[in-house]
Amino acid sequence: MQGKGSANIYTTLANHVPMADAWTPFANYTFNGSKAPPRSREMAILRTAWLCQAPYDWSQHAAIAQRYGLTEAEVMRVAEGPAAPGWTDLDRRVLTAVDELRYDGAPSARSWAALKSALGEQPAMDVVMTAAQYEMGSMILNSAGVQLDANLRYRLPANPTPPRTAGRPARAINGPPAVEALAPDPALAQGLATLDRGMKQALTPRQRAILALRTDYLLHADSEWTRRAATAGAAGLSPAEIARIKRGPSAPGWSAADRALLQAADDLRREAFITDAAWAALAPHFDRRAALEILYVVGDASLNARASGSFPVGG
């Protein structure tokens, strides 16, 4: 975190420096090292910020996008989505893939093929995982209540109908472990591996397993669920508890702390932020560092599920 400056995002992340440091390589790659065309990258970020109602990312990237070829009118039009008139075929493919990532867990095979055909495999992967990364960022910034910096003038558009919340996709997303799925994009794979290794801080292994398994279930990430459930016993979960995670926070038998974790995971999937009621339920059991770590663990599980399920092998 050294040298990051005084922007509100960095002062918030400084509350848990080891986790921020673990996240930084992946986050930096998607913005600074990505092989995606800058215009496509910024459209993916802005569309994600709109779908997650993330004012900080929207305000930052509404300005940044105009340095990479988008007009102010196009920035505002991103909120209208892929069906809005005026987009190029590539623009529409990017926006469609982002919408499907948010609501269906992963781009459809058709959308992935179209994006890959237009950009090539690695740049197309970078577009998808940039959207997944900024969804994680939205969860953290929205939930932590990060305020806009004084120099940020853009606000989320007020005119389009607000985006719908996200539920459990009807279609399962399946695939190999993320590190294998991302093999064609080594920098992405390395960044995600660094984040994965950082998930050993304030929360217990059992708490992390509850959050990650619930996230896998909510994304209908069956392959990730199966792999994670196989090791969840070593983290302290019984077979009955593993099965009960699918029933969510309302299932009988959870402690108050476990129930609060499950509710937080549900909020983050649905709203891309933890609601005030869920924060109130978490507060008696988790200090500030542990609360921030909840956001990272859910975000990391979401990234792994998206990497596993978005890129058909040989597709």
Side-chain angles (χ1 to χ4, degrees):
M1 291 289 293
Q2 279 190 327
K4 289 294 187 181
S6 60
N8 289 337
I9 181 174
Y10 298 124
T11 55
T12 298
L13 298 181
N15 286 294
H16 198 328
V17 172
M19 284 299 338
D21 286 346
W23 185 30
T24 295
F26 190 86
N28 279 352
Y29 174 77
T30 58
F31 181 64
N32 293 314
S34 170
K35 302 300 186 295
R39 176 184 173 92
S40 298
R41 179 197 68 211
E42 292 303 316
M43 291 189 71
I45 293 169
L46 285 167
R47 185 61 179 167
T48 302
W50 168 254
L51 294 177
C52 295
Q53 291 291 277
Y56 194 92
D57 278 338
W58 177 274
S59 192
Q60 274 204 327
H61 285 274
I64 293 170
Q66 292 177 64
R67 303 203 295 265
Y68 290 104
L70 276 80
T71 66
E72 186 172 62
E74 286 177 322
V75 166
M76 296 301 118
R77 197 196 312 150
V78 167
E80 299 177 35
W87 297 126
T88 68
D89 285 346
L90 176 57
D91 293 341
R92 192 167 289 108
R93 290 176 186 185
V94 168
L95 295 173
T96 298
V98 174
D99 283 18
E100 291 176 352
L101 185 84
R102 173 71 179 144
Y103 293 114
D104 301 329
S108 66
R110 179 179 180 179
S111 289
W112 167 245
L115 196 62
K116 181 180 172 183
S117 174
L119 293 176
E121 184 172 35
Q122 188 172 352
M125 279 187 164
D126 285 353
V127 167
V128 173
M129 294 309 294
T130 294
Q133 141 68 17
Y134 277 83
E135 183 186 51
M136 176 179 176
S138 296
M139 293 176 186
I140 294 171
L141 300 180
N142 287 349
S143 298
V146 176
Q147 300 300 301
L148 296 184
D149 303 316
N151 65 320
L152 297 179
R153 69 181 184 89
Y154 287 99
R155 301 295 183 268
L156 286 164
N159 292 334
T161 303
R164 59 190 171 94
T165 56
R168 187 170 189 255
R171 172 177 60 91
I173 56 173
N174 292 305
V179 67
E180 295 179 21
L182 295 178
D185 203 333
L188 269 180
Q190 183 177 356
L192 186 55
T194 299
L195 179 59
D196 291 345
R197 288 193 297 269
M199 295 293 130
K200 298 176 182 178
Q201 303 291 334
L203 297 175
T204 68
R206 182 179 183 278
Q207 290 163 346
R208 293 194 299 271
I210 288 172
L211 288 166
L213 280 167
R214 183 63 179 168
T215 301
D216 291 339
Y217 174 77
L218 292 171
L219 287 170
H220 208 157
D222 288 355
S223 297
E224 281 294 291
W225 169 277
T226 299
R227 285 188 286 267
R228 205 182 305 273
T231 62
L237 287 170
S238 70
E241 287 174 322
I242 294 169
R244 196 192 310 150
I245 285 171
K246 293 183 177 182
R247 296 167 59 193
S250 62
W254 294 121
S255 69
D258 291 345
R259 188 175 298 110
L261 290 172
L262 290 163
Q263 187 59 58
D266 284 16
D267 285 358
L268 289 167
R269 171 62 186 146
R270 183 178 61 251
E271 308 276 2
F273 69 89
I274 296 179
T275 61
D276 290 345
W279 274 131
L282 291 165
H285 311 287
F286 303 96
D287 63 18
R288 180 177 293 185
R289 288 182 79 250
L292 271 174
E293 195 166 311
I294 289 167
L295 304 172
Y296 282 106
V297 171
V298 171
D300 178 67
S302 178
L303 286 173
N304 274 273
R306 267 53 186 276
S308 171
S310 292
F311 312 119
V313 176

